[in-house]
């Protein structure tokens, strides 16, 4: 046993390490959460702050602003040391998020956030010290048309006095640019809904009237009573819009998924990928996610993160039937192409829906489960004894312990090896379910085999030649095309997609005549022409190259040997069996260097890039 | 640094007693259009509540950064002097590094005004224009500017690049220089760093450096963290022949990237030997697999290792993330309610960490854990 003092120190250290990692999580949580949501408007009554949430702790009375009298509770936002009457000047703790925005009075916020009309229709971004405001100011109607409606004798419509409005989110100044962009997106979506409802039934004007009326009421009350109250607290029960904004704010701070119904009619839904896509303590950057989704192939599979029932329950009533069909038909063992066939949908559509589900954090992309898949523990896997995962696993699979299961994947193991052939089918099925569970909880990565052509250097100028012109530069990039340009989160998504059936374009296995015909010989020669003389010689001197079939196959697959296409991809594109390919690798092993690692296209779901 | 924070324009705006907010000087001339100023003037010459706050507003594809100043005094018409010296950049520019400069400039001007009425005096105010010109030129060219204003006052400004927060440095981390050690001028660093510099060789871990350099552990950690922040060092793990590594997808970049290749081959070749060839080095990296120790690699690939220093091979691989270390994590599976809960064997602490903290060697720890039926070991 190590001596006591050592263990105490160790214990304290670990606590502080946990605390640190906890702080890190909190810190990043703060960076992705808004500090406040504010609704402002500008019109014939001037600039108004209609609503803000969270409320200030103690609302400043508008009358006291002018006198600059400090209430003992007022928060000092200049960071000066506060001295009370005893001369005690303790240092203020660092400002919390609320204090940052609470320091701005309603009036000043109205002035700076209700912009001029020429800033409307565009992203609005303003940074003041440590706070960043982002919104999308929206014109309700052209200023000059107000004249027209004033003379309009129609009794039905009231004269609108609001010219523009803006839903503004306050964030910490050091928020990630993609977070700012997302908040702007949400502000714009809410603005579109509000603009629509305003045109239809003056919804916004009505709500604004209510809000201002309550504010006036509370102000007069305060002046007579003298006790400070927050008018916004009184607004909440009376205004649906205020409640919607509060809900949006609360959702952004917690789950990152916003669903509000403006005027109980128009749905505004939004997700903050930074909150949703977290693996361990790290979050998957949005650009990496989008890049990944653009690179998925028909041989990948979609793995749902929730049960089918739970997922279907979350969908709105008017959702697309294709989505429902896909969720019902999808499975971890089916690749996207099979899924398209089974669900009777175009592959294109499958890609789009899959990307949508992944973006919303409801599914991840994996390689379809099969016997030969090799899995290993993800470097970011949470293998802590005290983690929530261990508990959940024990509940899901009684009698099994997560740590023991994880230990089995310490060394790469294929599913075939993992299963015991003597097991009853029920136990086998359970083992597969456990692997699926571990994949869903980001505990495993899958390893694939990659091959690279590297010819041993000749006697003259060793190494120089092959280094000067690596194979990658010489062999032109054959585009193994995939539907690309998927758009995320925006209302419009019509991009041109090129879809090819890989087996038709890249494999010519069926079309080529067998045997040693002169056509084949010439094809092989052409394919090998991209190599240097020295490489060609070395390859041709390998015993296996004497077999024209093998040589032809090798030459045809040459462009895959750059280390960027794994075995399964070659199998899919060329319609080849695994055993055939492995044998080929073995025959030409003197010029191929083979290694195993995860597929960088989808590995970010299991272990995000540092 | 210069590319990311290019200043397009410097402007001086003030509240004229009769004309209201206006731009008095701007360099280059007419950069800010009337339209733009009208749109953003409320953020330049602001209400009292926003005084002395750093305000950045984005409009019409431009970003304006300023710090409004208000000096109240009876001598001024309207009893207050309001002005703002700000910078204009393109809307896409990252402007964090410029903020301290704007703040500093506003502080300078405030002081000058309070001391000698620099701004309220029409004559001395004209000096601002050439000052602004010089500032614009020098800050864009070199990122620094030293400018005498009058006989007794000089402005010193420097653009400081913002960097990401560094990781916490643990006792079992090994710092390694990212460039040749001699590249750095020793005397520019603090005393602690100077004392430990000699011990940073890419193989000594923090605890060892602390012991050998006779510097307290936390000081070493902080000093190395500082070096990490400036990109002078990077961290790798302790090297032992019993270590296990595996390749990452980045290993393929050794084939694709010519510069990386060159760097690698010159780094890993043994001293005094002819340069190793790419194939050998790549084969060595690909020979690192889960379950294979460095010792195994040495015996299997002895021919390739004739020209290659395996320790530097591993070091380079880790520095460039071509390979990663597989660490062992012991987990005590609790079978008995009464037994004490594990403190270190929780799956959160690697062998490296446990050995560092307890002073045991790997072998000792192995032996101890092998005999305990309740401990399972995970590699990741």
């Amino acid at each position: 046993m190590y001596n006591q003092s050592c263990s105490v120190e160790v214990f304290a250290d670990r606590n502080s390490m946990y605390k640190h990692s906890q702080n890190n999580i909190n810190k990043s949580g703060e960076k992705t959460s808004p500090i406040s949501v504010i609704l402002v408007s500008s019109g014939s009554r001037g600039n108004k702050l209609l609503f803000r949430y969270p409320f200030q702790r103690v609302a400043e009375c508008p009358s006291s602003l002018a006198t600059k009298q400090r209430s003992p509770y007022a928060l000092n936002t200049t960071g000066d040391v506060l001295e009370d009457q005893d001369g005690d000047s303790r240092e203020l703790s660092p400002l919390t998020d609320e204090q940052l925005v609470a320091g701005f009075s309603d009036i000043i916020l109205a002035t700076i956030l209700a912009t001029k009309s020429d800033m409307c229709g565009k992203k609005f971004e303003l940074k003041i010290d440590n706070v960043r405001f982002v919104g999308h100011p929206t014109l309700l109607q052209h200023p000059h048309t107000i004249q027209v409606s004033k003379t309009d004798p129609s009794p039905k419509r009231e004269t609108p006095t609001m010219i523009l409005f803006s839903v503004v989110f306050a964030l910490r100044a050091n928020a990630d640019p993609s977070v700012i962009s997302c908040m702007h997106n949400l502000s714009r979506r809410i603005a579109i809904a509000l603009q629509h409802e305003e045109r239809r039934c003056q919804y916004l004007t009505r709500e604004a009237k209510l809000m201002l009326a309550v504010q006036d009421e509370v102000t007069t009350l305060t002046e007579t009573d003298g006790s400070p109250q927050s008018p916004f607290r009184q607004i909440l029960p009376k205004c649906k819009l205020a409640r919607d904004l509060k809900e949006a704010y609360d959702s952004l701070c917690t789950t990152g998924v916003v669903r509000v119904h403006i005027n109980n009619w128009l749905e505004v839904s939004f997700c903050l990928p930074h909150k949703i896509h977290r693996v361990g303590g790290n979050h998957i950057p949005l650009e990496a996610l989008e890049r990944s989704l653009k690179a998925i192939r028909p041989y990948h599979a979609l793995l749902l993160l929730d049960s089918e029932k739970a997922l279907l329950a979350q969908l709105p009533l008017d959702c697309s039937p294709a989505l429902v069909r896909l969720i019902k038909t999808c499975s971890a063992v089916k690749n996207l192409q099979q899924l398209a066939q089974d669900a009777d949908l175009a592959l294109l559509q499958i890609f789009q829906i899959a990307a949508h589900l992944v973006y919303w954090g409801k599914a991840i992309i994996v390689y379809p489960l099969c016997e030969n898949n090799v899995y290993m523990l993800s470097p970011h896997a949470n293998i802590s004894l005290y983690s929530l995962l261990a508990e959940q696993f024990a509940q899901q699979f009684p009698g099994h312990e997560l740590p023991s299961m994880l230990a089995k994947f310490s060394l790469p193991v294929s599913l075939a090896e993992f299963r015991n052939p003597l097991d009853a089918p029920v136990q086998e099925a359970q083992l597969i379910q456990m692997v699926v569970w571990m994949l869903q909880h980001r505990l495993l990565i899958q390893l694939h085999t990659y091959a690279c052509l590297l010819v041993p250097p000749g006697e003259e100028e060793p190494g120089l030649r092959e280094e000067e012109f690596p194979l990658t530069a010489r062999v032109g990039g054959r585009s193994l095309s995939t539907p690309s340009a998927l758009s995320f989160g925006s209302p419009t998504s019509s991009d041109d997609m090129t879809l090819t059936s890989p087996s038709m374009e890249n494999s010519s296995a069926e079309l080529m005549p067998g045997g040693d015909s002169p056509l084949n010989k010439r094809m092989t020669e052409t394919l090998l022409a991209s190599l240097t003389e020295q490489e060609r010689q070395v390859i041709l001197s390998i015993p296996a190259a004497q077999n024209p079939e093998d040589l032809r196959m090798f030459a045809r697959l040459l462009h895959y040997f750059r280390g960027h296409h794994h075995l399964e991809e070659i199998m899919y594109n060329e319609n080849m069996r695994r055993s055939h390919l492995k044998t080929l690798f073995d025959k030409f092993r003197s010029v191929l260097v083979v290694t195993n690692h995860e597929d960088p296209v989808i590995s970010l779901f299991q272990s995000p890039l540092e | 640094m210069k590319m990311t924070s290019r200043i397009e324009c410097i402007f001086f705006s003030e509240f004229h007693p009769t004309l209201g907010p206006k731009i008095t000087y701007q360099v280059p001339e007419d950069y800010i259009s009337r339209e733009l100023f009208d749109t953003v003037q409320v953020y330049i010459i602001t209400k009292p509540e926003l005084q002395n706050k750093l305000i950045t507003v984005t409009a019409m594809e431009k970003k304006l950064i300023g710090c409004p100043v208000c000096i109240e005094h009876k001598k001024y018409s309207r009893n207050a002097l309001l002005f703002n010296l700000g910078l204009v950049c393109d809307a896409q520019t990252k402007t964090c590094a410029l903020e301290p400069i704007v703040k500093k400039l506003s502080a300078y001007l405030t002081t000058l005004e309070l001391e000698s009425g620099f701004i309220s005096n029409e004559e001395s105010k004209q000096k601002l224009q050439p000052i602004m010109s010089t500032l614009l030129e020098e800050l864009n060219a070199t990122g620094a500017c030293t400018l005498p204003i009058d006989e007794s006052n000089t402005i010193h400004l420097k653009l400081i690049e913002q960097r990401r927060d560094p990781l916490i440095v643990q006792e079992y981390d090994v710092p390694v220089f990212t460039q040749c050690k001699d590249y750095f001028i020793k005397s520019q660093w603090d005393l602690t760093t100077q004392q430990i510099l000699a011990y940073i060789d890419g193989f000594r871990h923090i605890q060892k450096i602390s012991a050998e350099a006779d510097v307290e552990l936390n000081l070493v950690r902080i000093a190395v963290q500082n070096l990490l922040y400036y990109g002078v060092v990077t961290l790798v793990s302790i090297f032992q022949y019993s270590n296990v590594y595996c390749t990452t997808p980045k290993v393929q970049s050794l084939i694709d990237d010519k510069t990386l290749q060159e760097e690698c081959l010159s780094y890993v070749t043994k001293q005094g030997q002819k340069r190793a060839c790419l194939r050998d080095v790549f084969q060595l990296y690909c020979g690192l697999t889960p379950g294979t120790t460095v010792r195994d690699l040495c015996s299997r690939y002895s021919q390739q290792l004739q020209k290659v220093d395996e320790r530097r091979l591993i070091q380079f691989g880790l520095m460039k993330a071509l390979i990663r270390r597989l660490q062992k994590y012991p987990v005590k599976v609790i079978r008995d309610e009464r037994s004490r809960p594990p403190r270190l064997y929780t799956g959160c602490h690697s062998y490296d960490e446990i050995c560092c903290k307890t002073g045991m060697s790997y072998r000792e720890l192995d032996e101890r854990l092998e005999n305990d039926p309740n401990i399972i070991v995970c590699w990741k």
Side-chain angles (χ1 to χ4, degrees), chain B residues 155-354:
Chain B
I155 313 181
H156 300 277
L157 294 168
K158 185 165 183 193
L159 267 173
I160 310 253
E161 192 185 314
Q162 301 277 20
R163 291 171 200 261
R164 262 195 317 192
D165 282 344
L167 302 163
I168 298 277
V169 174
Q170 306 288 357
E171 326 158 279
Y172 45 87
D173 283 325
V174 175
V176 55
F177 279 106
T178 51
Q179 286 168 309
C180 175
K181 201 191 270 215
D182 306 323
Y183 189 74
F184 303 105
I185 307 169
K186 243 184 118 168
S187 54
Q188 284 185 344
W189 296 96
D190 61 273
L191 291 174
T192 310
T193 308
Q194 285 185 33
Q195 200 167 341
I196 62 170
L197 271 179
Y199 297 90
I200 300 180
D201 60 354
F203 298 109
R204 288 192 178 86
H205 57 286
I206 299 289
Q207 202 181 51
K208 195 165 188 184
I209 295 177
S210 159
E212 289 185 17
D214 194 23
V215 178
E216 205 252 308
L217 184 67
N218 278 319
L219 285 180
V220 179
R221 285 172 70 177
I222 295 171
V224 171
Q225 191 167 30
N226 191 39
L227 291 174
L228 195 61
Y229 179 77
Y230 287 104
V232 174
V233 301
T234 182
L235 297 177
V236 296
S237 66
I238 299 175
F239 178 84
Q240 290 183 95
Y241 280 95
S242 57
N243 280 0
V244 173
Y245 301 89
C246 68
T247 51
T248 68
K250 270 199 80 177
V251 73
Q252 309 294 350
S253 59
L254 203 54
I255 306 290
D256 301 333
D257 184 346
K258 183 89 198 310
T259 6
L260 187 66
Q261 257 176 50
E262 293 289 325
E263 216 189 316
C264 178
L265 295 179
S266 44
Y267 195 89
V268 308
T269 307
K270 271 188 188 148
Q271 297 276 22
Q273 293 264 12
K274 221 166 16 156
R275 223 163 76 129
C277 77
L278 179 64
R279 183 165 187 270
D280 286 348
V281 172
F282 193 70
Q283 269 187 322
L284 285 168
Y285 278 126
C286 293
L288 290 167
T289 61
T292 309
T293 62
V294 180
R295 199 174 289 120
D296 294 337
L297 186 83
C298 291
S299 53
R300 271 179 226 164
Y301 293 87
S302 50
Q303 191 258 317
Q304 286 85 342
L305 281 169
Q306 280 176 0
K307 294 198 198 131
V308 174
D309 178 343
E310 65 269 13
R311 299 201 331 160
R312 284 176 76 85
L313 177 82
I314 300 288
Q315 212 176 52
F316 188 85
L318 288 173
M319 279 164 67
K320 302 290 178 181
L322 307 176
I323 57 176
R324 65 183 170 93
R325 169 98 185 272
L326 286 174
Q327 300 259 17
K328 280 163 91 161
Y329 291 83
V331 188
K332 180 165 185 161
V333 186
I334 307 171
R335 305 231 188 267
D336 187 356
E337 283 295 320
R338 288 170 291 139
S339 66
R340 220 178 19 184
R343 270 179 243 159
L344 282 178
Y345 304 151
T346 59
C348 300
H349 306 279
S350 63
Y351 260 47
D352 271 7
E353 191 184 337
I354 298 174

Side-chain angles (χ1 to χ4, degrees), chain B residues 7 11 31 37 57 68 85 93 106-107 115 125 128 138 148 156 162 164 190 201 248 275 292 346 348 352 357 375 378:
Chain B
I7 308 171
F11 67 90
Y31 189 82
F37 188 67
V57 60
L85 183 71
T93 318
S106 110
E115 282 181 3
K125 188 163 83 175
L128 267 182
E138 294 199 11
H156 300 277
Q162 301 277 20
R164 262 195 317 192
D190 61 273
D201 60 354
T248 68
R275 223 163 76 129
T292 309
T346 59
C348 300
D352 271 7
K357 293 208 154 98
I375 304 265
C378 291

Side-chain angles (χ1 to χ4, degrees), chain A residues 30-323:
Chain A
E30 276 169 22
K31 271 201 211 166
T32 56
S33 298
I35 306 173
S36 177
V37 62
I38 302 159
L39 176 66
V40 294
S41 74
S42 173
S44 51
R45 282 181 70 182
N47 294 344
K48 296 281 176 194
L49 179 103
L50 297 172
F51 183 70
R52 71 192 285 184
Y53 183 79
F55 318 124
Q56 290 170 289
R57 292 225 189 88
V58 175
E60 289 171 57
C61 313
S63 52
S64 69
L65 260 178
T67 58
K68 280 199 174 175
Q69 190 185 30
R70 283 267 180 78
S71 120
Y73 308 112
L75 300 161
N76 194 335
T77 53
T78 58
D80 293 340
V81 177
L82 193 64
E83 222 175 23
D84 73 1
Q85 50 244 107
D86 296 335
D88 181 12
S89 51
R90 256 170 292 185
E91 219 179 50
L92 280 178
S93 52
L95 297 171
T96 64
D97 289 346
E98 274 182 28
Q99 290 169 323
L100 281 176
V101 179
F104 292 100
S105 71
D106 298 353
I107 298 184
I108 196 72
L109 280 179
T111 317
I112 57 176
L113 298 180
T115 63
K116 293 212 156 68
S117 47
D118 50 2
M119 277 182 115
C120 287
K122 288 179 277 207
K123 177 164 149 182
F124 169 74
E125 209 178 314
L126 176 71
K127 179 167 147 184
I128 301 186
D129 277 351
N130 290 330
V131 186
R132 194 184 288 267
F133 298 97
V134 62
H136 192 89
T138 308
L139 266 181
L140 277 181
Q141 51 187 122
H142 270 294
H144 65 81
T145 61
I146 290 178
Q147 287 358 357
V148 177
S149 46
K150 266 188 182 149
T151 59
D152 184 352
S154 148
K156 275 187 279 184
R157 296 190 160 223
E158 301 179 302
T159 315
T161 54
M162 200 188 293
I163 300 174
L164 63 88
F165 71 94
S166 185
V167 175
V168 179
F169 289 101
L171 310 165
R172 272 197 173 256
N174 58 3
D176 198 64
S178 55
V179 174
I180 301 169
S181 203
C182 285
M183 294 295 180
H184 167 242
N185 196 342
L186 178 57
S187 169
R188 207 176 104 236
R189 289 188 186 204
I190 299 179
I192 292 175
L194 284 174
Q195 194 180 41
H196 183 275
E197 285 304 282
E198 172 67 13
R199 289 209 180 113
R200 189 172 71 88
C201 57
Q202 289 86 52
Y203 175 65
L204 185 57
T205 312
R206 280 187 281 128
E207 293 287 287
K209 254 182 152 170
L210 267 171
M211 288 173 178
L212 289 172
V214 174
Q215 283 186 38
D216 287 338
E217 215 181 283
V218 174
T219 316
T220 33
L221 263 178
T222 315
E223 274 168 4
T224 50
D225 275 0
S227 52
Q229 291 177 51
S230 168
F232 307 112
R233 201 184 293 276
Q234 313 294 329
I235 290 178
L236 265 186
K238 299 194 178 140
C239 278
K240 172 78 175 28
L241 181 55
R243 289 197 297 277
D244 286 338
L245 290 174
K246 171 181 184 295
E247 200 189 309
Y249 172 83
D250 287 337
S251 308
L252 282 172
C253 292
T254 48
T255 58
V257 179
V258 175
R259 274 178 79 177
V260 292
H261 292 86
I262 301 291
N263 199 13
N264 284 318
W265 182 239
L266 285 182
E267 179 179 320
V268 174
S269 61
F270 173 83
C271 83
L272 191 59
H274 309 79
K275 279 246 151 68
I276 297 180
H277 302 283
R278 301 197 75 88
V279 179
N282 307 313
H283 90 265
I284 304 178
L286 194 55
E287 317 84 55
L289 193 68
E290 291 179 358
R291 255 199 322 266
S292 201
L293 286 173
K294 287 187 182 151
I296 56 175
R297 309 291 328 280
Y299 60 71
H300 283 128
L302 192 67
L303 177 62
L304 297 177
L305 292 177
D306 279 332
S307 75
E308 181 189 304
K309 233 172 77 169
L311 202 48
L312 288 172
Q314 288 171 24
L315 297 174
L317 287 169
D318 59 347
C319 75
S320 132
L323 179 59

Side-chain angles (χ1 to χ4, degrees), chain A residues 112 127 381 385 454 564 590, chain B residues 43 56 99 256 279 346 380:
Chain A
I112 57 176
K127 179 167 147 184
L385 191 53
L454 270 179
H564 293 293
S590 55
Chain B
Y43 308 109
T56 309
E99 290 173 6
D256 301 333
R279 183 165 187 270
T346 59
K380 66 165 187 169

Side-chain angles (χ1 to χ4, degrees), chain B residues 34 54 78 98 100 116 131 146 149 159 167 174-175 274 288 341:
Chain B
R34 163 124 276 150
L54 199 66
R78 293 183 183 246
L98 294 171
S116 55
I131 290 175
T146 301
I149 306 268
L159 267 173
L167 302 163
V174 175
K274 221 166 16 156
L288 290 167

